Amino acid sequence: LSCGINKVDLAGSERVYKNEHDVVTKNEGKYINLSLHYLEQVILSLHEKTKVPKRHIPYRNSMLTSVLRDSLGGNCRT
């Protein structure tokens, strides 16, 4: 099994309040921050899995964590 390199731009905390009239930017910022939240939940769950082996890892909560599933929880280094 070979692992590729995944690069992810984790720029979060989008300032959605800056452009109140731009609904598209506001929604994009909301979804970026939500994806980062789910990524955090996966990383925390993986950390807890070392203590509780049968812990559920919520990979399917977002597209980001689904795509990075093998990189985060596989035999690869993160």
Side-chain angles (χ1 to χ4, degrees), residues 4 6 16 36 49 69 72 74:
N6 293 315
V16 294
L36 290 175
K49 191 174 182 176
R69 181 180 188 143
L72 294 169

Side-chain angles (χ1 to χ4, degrees), residues 5-9 68:
I5 294 176
N6 293 315
K7 292 184 179 184
V8 180
D9 181 9
L68 294 176

Side-chain angles (χ1 to χ4, degrees), residues 14-75:
E14 303 299 324
R15 296 181 183 206
V16 294
Y17 60 86
K18 192 174 182 181
N19 293 328
E20 294 177 9
H21 302 290
D22 191 357
V23 177
V24 175
T25 304
K26 190 174 185 178
N27 282 335
E28 284 177 0
K30 181 175 77 171
Y31 288 118
I32 288 170
N33 287 333
L34 191 58
S35 289
L36 290 175
H37 169 73
Y38 289 135
L39 178 61
E40 177 187 19
Q41 294 302 309
V42 166
I43 291 171
L44 290 174
S45 295
L46 287 168
H47 176 70
E48 290 294 319
K49 191 174 182 176
T50 60
K51 300 172 188 172
V52 183
K54 296 201 180 234
R55 182 166 175 88
H56 171 71
I57 310 299
Y59 290 114
R60 289 196 266 172
N61 285 350
S62 80
M63 182 63 77
L64 176 66
T65 55
S66 294
V67 169
L68 294 176
R69 181 180 188 143
D70 290 336
S71 296
L72 294 169
N75 294 327

